[in-house]
Amino acid sequence: MLTRLARAGLAAVLSVTTLAAGAGVAAADTASPSDQHVTVVLHGSPPQTPTSSGQFVVGWTSAGTDDLTGPTHITLDLPPGLANYGVAFYSSPPDYTFTQTLSADRRHLDVVLTATRRPGHYEFMKVTYQADGTQQPDDRIVATIGNPNDADPTGHVAVMPLDGSPGPTVVQAPPTVTGTDTTTGPGAGGTALTVSGGDLAHGMVLVGGVPAPGTCTDTACTVTTPGGSGSAPVTVVTPGGTAAAPAAFDYTGAPPPAPPVPAVAYAPVTSGPAAGGTPVHLFGTDLAYGIVRFGGVPALHVSCGPLYCSATAPAGAVPGPVDVTVTTAGGTSAPVTYTYTP
């Protein structure tokens, strides 16, 4: 898997500037700080010649007071003359889902990471770049990050000027959504959906809380709906915040097939004190987006990838064995046993 983040250097005197490609910037932060917060940074050396190649790092930190949860959206934009030739995401354990989409010109990268991260947790991705040899790369590299549970827009944009100067501090303006071009589509998904508004650049569209693949400009996002059922709210998450569409998207017909039932094959830690707090690791299949329960009680700090879940045991009512299960949209796994000790 691949990806991670970036933070721009601070100028001697911090400035607030606008993003390229029309993205708005707030002159002041008017949003209330969020208990869940994530920040992005950029590290590395900018290319020096028209034939430069090398690597830089995009990194991010869970900077709030609560666990960061839900889908985190990361974008990376390279200037003319540079192309992305590989992204390597390093994170252990593999308790997450990760998708990446690279534009045809190899200059725009979209990443969606779904995981739970405790405050202070840092992750990164290495990006390999190559100058195309036709011109001296100039302008700047820009990385952004956004999460629907993060209402604090600060620290969501990192800028690396290619002339080596300090990167400015950027705060994107909050998005607005004025409408969608359609409000119905089949439960199997696949409907082309355009969301219109303002300050939507670097955005991620959620339909019923599920990321919809596509792209966003400053004034519109064009995406393809995921599968679903019923009435699903449509929201756009940007580095500046989250905005909801005035109308929901209504799924018609049969919903998509349910995913396979999760299965837990192995739990190396099988006991811990009744007070709770023991880190627990679950190995299996089809565990992505799972909810872990101990004797029916939700575990703490749960993060699940397709083959692995990390969690912290909650307190037990009394010493003794309890069933540990993982529940996803596909159902609930057969239990494994965990024993609370006095």
Side-chain angles (χ1 to χ4, degrees):
M1 297 218 155
L2 315 161
T3 199
R4 272 328 177 243
L5 94 126
R7 163 161 296 196
L10 294 178
V13 177
L14 295 181
S15 61
V16 175
T17 186
T18 58
L19 285 173
V25 169
D29 175 14
T30 58
S32 299
S34 172
D35 291 335
Q36 293 191 36
H37 187 45
V38 62
T39 59
V40 66
V41 295
L42 282 165
H43 298 296
S45 300
Q48 301 299 317
T49 70
T51 58
S52 292
S53 62
Q55 291 184 327
F56 61 88
V57 166
V58 180
W60 53 93
T61 301
S62 177
T65 57
D66 288 353
D67 287 356
L68 183 73
T69 62
T72 296
H73 182 231
I74 302 153
T75 71
L76 177 69
D77 286 285
L78 303 182
L82 284 186
N84 183 338
Y85 279 94
V87 178
F89 174 49
Y90 301 92
S91 187
S92 181
D95 57 348
Y96 55 83
T97 62
F98 174 88
T99 62
Q100 61 169 322
T101 304
L102 185 62
S103 63
D105 64 4
R106 311 189 74 88
R107 289 175 49 208
H108 178 77
L109 176 71
D110 260 276
V111 168
V112 178
L113 172 75
T114 303
T116 297
R117 294 295 181 250
R118 296 192 187 195
H121 187 88
Y122 170 79
E123 294 175 297
F124 68 93
M125 61 183 175
K126 286 185 178 179
V127 179
T128 300
Y129 69 82
Q130 174 68 57
D132 64 15
T134 63
Q135 59 183 302
Q136 175 64 42
D138 57 15
D139 201 21
R140 55 192 176 171
I141 297 170
V142 178
T144 75
I145 199 162
N147 182 288
N149 301 315
D150 183 357
D152 179 353
T154 61
H156 286 174
V157 181
V159 180
M160 180 190 291
L162 298 191
D163 62 4
S165 63
T169 298
V170 177
V171 180
Q172 184 167 324
T176 58
V177 175
T178 56
T180 58
D181 67 339
T182 185
T183 57
T184 61
T191 300
L193 175 67
T194 299
V195 183
S196 301
D199 296 302
L200 303 179
H202 312 287
M204 168 179 63
V205 176
L206 302 178
V207 181
V210 178
T215 59
C216 290
T217 67
D218 196 46
T219 58
C221 297
T222 303
V223 301
T224 301
T225 60
S229 61
S231 184
V234 177
T235 57
V236 181
V237 181
T238 76
T242 300
F249 184 86
D250 293 322
Y251 285 105
T252 60
V261 177
V264 176
Y266 175 56
V269 177
T270 58
S271 65
T278 300
V280 174
H281 313 281
L282 304 174
F283 295 84
T285 56
D286 302 304
L287 305 178
Y289 315 116
I291 298 171
V292 178
R293 293 185 173 90
F294 284 65
V297 178
L300 308 174
H301 311 296
V302 174
S303 192
C304 289
L307 304 177
Y308 180 94
C309 291
S310 64
T312 299
V318 294
V322 296
D323 289 342
V324 178
T325 58
V326 178
T327 300
T328 70
T332 298
S333 67
V336 294
T337 300
Y338 179 87
T339 302
Y340 282 114
T341 57

